[in-house]
Amino acid sequence: MLTSGNILLAGSLLSPEPGLIFWTTITFVLVLIILKKIAWGPIISALEEREKGIQSSIDRAHGAKEESEAILRQNRELLAKADAEADRVIREGREYAEKIRAEITEKAHQESQKMIEAAKNEIEQEKRRALAELRNEVADLAVRGAEKIIRGALDADVQKKVVDSMIQDLSTNRN
Amino acid sequence: MKRIKLIQVKGFFRIMALLAPLLLNAYLPVQASEEHGAPVSTVAAVNAEVAVDPALEPVHAEATGHEEEKAGDVIMHHILNSHSFSFEPFGTVHLPALPPFFGIDISITKHVVMLWIVSAILLVLFSFVGAAYRKITPRTAPSGVANTMEALVEFIRLDVAKSNIGHGYEKHLPYLLTVFMFILLCNLLGLVPYGATATGNINVTLTLAVFTFFITQAASLKAHGLKGYLVHLTAGTHWALWIIMIPIEVIGLFTKPFALTVRLFANMTAGHIVILSLIFISFILKSYVVAAAVSVPFSIFIYLLEIFVAFLQAFIFTMLSALFIGLATVHEGGEAEAAHH
């Protein structure tokens, strides 16, 4: 049976025990001092060291990440620049080729034009010369024919005049 | 010598009483009590008031021996400090009485022995852990006991000390760690058979709380200086109110360690009283049905709860100590600064 008076009022639970206080103090202080020396010191310093190590690893990792990102960015920029450069070179090459082609075509055109011109001139000259030659020839032939005719029948001079005027007419008509 | 023999006889009867229903059958003791003329059946016994008990008491006394022993006495004997360590049913070890020291009786008592056992375990355990940490480098992981203890140490360091004290917490860390481990082990050893709860003695908890009190005051003095400390006692009010404020603040200083003392002591004592009371219900009612249905399951439940409470109370004591130190060392404008973080 629970004797409540014993528990609450007899002062047994709350009775002061100076001896126990004395021993608790001594025991606890000794334990505190010894544990501080043998355990808490090394454990806490190891934990702090590890914390610092982890922090520095994280910092290093962040640094490396930033560095690699910077390098990546740089590489991208370089690549973009190289692309642009290549584009530019191709475009310039194309333009240059175009220009050269145009130039060559132009030149060829001019050349051909010139050659045609020259050929025309030559043809003209040749024609003229041929005409002159032909004229002379025709004149000679006519003269010779007239000579023959005249020799045969008529006075050669009269005949020649007639023929000459006729040829003159011919040539003026033609031109 | 005669006393030891008596306790042995009593213990033997107690064990036999527990084993009998297992060996024979559960209804046997009911028959036995009916034979003795007690007018209560087992079911009635469950519902019976404690007032029925005196009728059964002579039977118990007759069965166990010559001297009447009340449940309350047994509980108090278990809870209270004594000059002997009883290992029922094997006997009792009488602890040596020492001559008074400056008028104080410093005889070794049961709780002193428990404190020493706790200290010995702590010292052995942490000398191993400390040695392990001396060898450890930041690149190697701790293992085994060191790893287990690291969880507790890290918990106290970060969640208790650092978050409550803030700047300069390293100085108070050894005290907080020691007090946590000390109280935790005291609480747990109280749950071991034949153990006693040293923290269930108000003198032990008072001593520990006084340590916290002194550390708090020292930290406060160091943080604010003597002038700041005295100004703190006036709570920054007008001088006309000092006659009220100073007593209130002085009382406030002492309520903190008082609360620490009573909280730990009462929690540890209450758990044990509840467990023993539950067990004694079956002895009082002399019913194995009650023992199987109420006492054993409920006391197992309370026992598991006590394991939790052992950790909880050790944590709360440490936590509040850290909190008081943190409050004592907080600088002017410290709250505003803390609000920023």
Side-chain angles (χ1 to χ4, degrees):
Chain A
M1 185 162 54
L2 283 169
T3 49
S4 55
N6 193 7
I7 292 176
L8 293 176
L9 297 176
S12 47
L13 264 184
L14 300 173
S15 61
E17 293 173 48
L20 186 55
I21 291 177
F22 170 78
W23 282 120
T24 310
T25 311
I26 288 186
T27 311
F28 185 78
V29 168
L30 281 180
V31 168
L32 175 58
I33 291 168
I34 297 173
L35 279 188
K36 189 177 177 182
K37 194 141 237 163
I38 65 168
W40 308 139
I43 291 176
I44 288 165
S45 64
L47 288 180
E48 270 167 5
E49 220 165 278
R50 191 190 309 159
E51 221 162 70
K52 257 180 237 157
I54 290 169
Q55 191 56 51
S56 74
S57 303
I58 290 171
D59 289 347
R60 269 208 306 277
H62 270 291
K65 193 173 160 243
E66 270 160 24
E67 206 171 308
S68 68
E69 268 170 7
I71 287 172
L72 192 65
R73 213 164 32 236
Q74 213 172 335
N75 278 353
R76 279 212 190 109
E77 272 167 21
L78 280 178
L79 204 61
K81 218 182 265 178
D83 260 348
E85 183 76 20
D87 268 352
R88 195 179 58 81
V89 166
I90 290 169
R91 205 174 50 243
E92 275 178 7
R94 210 171 272 160
E95 276 169 11
Y96 187 64
E98 193 69 22
K99 208 171 82 186
I100 285 181
R101 197 172 66 87
E103 265 173 22
I104 287 171
T105 316
E106 185 68 18
K107 216 185 248 172
H109 195 67
Q110 283 173 0
E111 200 78 9
S112 64
Q113 211 67 25
K114 221 186 266 172
M115 276 164 77
I116 290 168
E117 204 69 25
K120 265 186 189 163
N121 283 349
E122 203 151 317
I123 289 167
E124 194 67 20
Q125 272 174 5
E126 284 299 313
K127 201 177 84 184
R128 282 215 183 111
R129 212 176 44 178
L131 273 177
E133 225 165 84
L134 190 65
R135 213 175 280 152
N136 287 342
E137 200 82 8
V138 167
D140 275 356
L141 277 175
V143 168
R144 242 177 260 156
E147 201 182 286
K148 265 180 191 163
I149 296 165
I150 290 165
R151 235 177 243 159
L154 291 165
D155 185 40
D157 293 331
V158 177
Q159 294 299 323
K160 199 177 174 181
K161 253 183 209 161
V162 172
V163 170
D164 264 347
S165 72
M166 198 184 77
I167 287 167
Q168 205 63 45
D169 281 351
L170 207 82
S171 69
T172 53
N173 279 356
R174 199 169 178 271
N175 284 338
Chain B
M1 201 59 208
K2 205 182 169 193
R3 192 179 153 78
I4 292 173
K5 205 157 194 180
L6 183 69
I7 288 168
Q8 277 176 334
V9 169
K10 268 198 260 176
F12 176 72
F13 271 102
R14 209 166 282 170
I15 285 180
M16 282 314 290
L18 280 170
L19 287 177
L22 297 172
L23 294 173
L24 304 170
N25 84 60
Y27 293 100
L28 203 63
V30 178
Q31 290 164 4
S33 69
E34 277 167 357
E35 277 167 25
H36 280 280
V40 279
S41 71
T42 313
V43 182
V46 178
N47 300 322
E49 294 292 314
V50 185
V52 184
D53 195 46
L56 295 174
E57 199 61 44
V59 181
H60 178 64
E62 197 187 328
T64 51
H66 323 285
E67 170 187 321
E68 188 180 329
E69 192 176 29
K70 289 176 180 168
D73 294 335
V74 176
I75 293 175
M76 291 316 290
H77 175 74
H78 178 85
I79 299 293
L80 290 179
N81 205 354
S82 68
H83 288 280
S84 60
F85 233 110
S86 57
F87 295 98
E88 286 184 54
F90 306 111
T92 305
V93 176
H94 287 279
L95 298 166
L98 297 179
F101 180 77
F102 289 109
I104 303 171
D105 176 22
I106 55 162
S107 302
I108 311 300
T109 57
K110 191 164 68 172
H111 287 161
V112 175
V113 174
M114 289 313 294
L115 289 178
W116 287 351
I117 293 172
V118 166
S119 309
I121 293 174
L122 277 182
L123 292 183
V124 169
L125 184 65
F126 279 100
S127 61
F128 280 121
V129 176
Y133 272 94
R134 263 183 230 280
K135 275 182 276 177
I136 235 164
T137 63
R139 300 182 66 84
T140 53
S143 60
V145 187
N147 203 3
T148 316
M149 288 305 133
E150 185 187 312
L152 287 176
V153 172
E154 196 73 331
F155 171 68
I156 297 296
R157 188 168 85 93
L158 296 179
D159 292 337
V160 174
K162 203 174 187 177
S163 59
N164 283 308
I165 301 177
H167 182 69
Y169 74 96
E170 296 91 345
K171 215 167 47 209
H172 303 291
L173 202 48
Y175 170 71
L176 294 174
L177 284 166
T178 312
V179 91
F180 177 75
M181 296 295 172
F182 199 77
I183 292 174
L184 177 63
L185 208 54
C186 278
N187 294 351
L188 288 176
L189 281 192
L191 296 170
V192 171
Y194 296 125
T197 324
T199 41
N201 189 311
I202 197 162
N203 297 286
V204 175
T205 58
L206 176 72
T207 315
L208 295 175
V210 165
F211 275 117
T212 296
F213 174 74
F214 281 131
I215 287 173
T216 309
Q217 299 315 314
S220 181
L221 269 175
K222 204 170 180 184
H224 303 297
L226 187 61
K227 191 164 170 281
Y229 181 81
L230 293 176
V231 165
H232 210 69
L233 285 182
T234 66
T237 50
H238 189 256
W239 61 268
L241 285 172
W242 286 6
I243 196 161
I244 306 169
M245 286 315 293
I246 290 176
I248 289 176
E249 286 289 326
V250 169
I251 291 169
L253 286 182
F254 291 102
T255 50
K256 286 169 183 173
F258 178 73
L260 281 181
T261 306
V262 174
R263 183 182 294 108
L264 182 57
F265 148 73
N267 270 289
M268 285 302 114
T269 307
H272 285 256
I273 290 179
V274 169
I275 290 179
L276 290 170
S277 302
L278 283 168
I279 290 170
F280 272 104
I281 284 176
S282 61
F283 282 108
I284 290 167
L285 299 178
K286 292 198 165 47
S287 162
Y288 293 108
V289 175
V290 173
V294 179
S295 295
V296 172
F298 276 79
S299 53
I300 287 173
F301 169 70
I302 299 291
Y303 190 94
L304 296 176
L305 192 69
E306 277 295 289
I307 295 176
F308 168 68
V309 169
F311 280 91
L312 183 73
Q313 290 304 322
F315 162 65
I316 286 180
F317 194 99
T318 317
M319 177 80 178
L320 288 176
S321 295
L323 192 68
F324 295 155
I325 295 169
L327 285 176
T329 56
V330 74
H331 291 280
E332 298 304 318
E335 280 99 346
E337 204 178 294
H340 276 295
H341 290 296

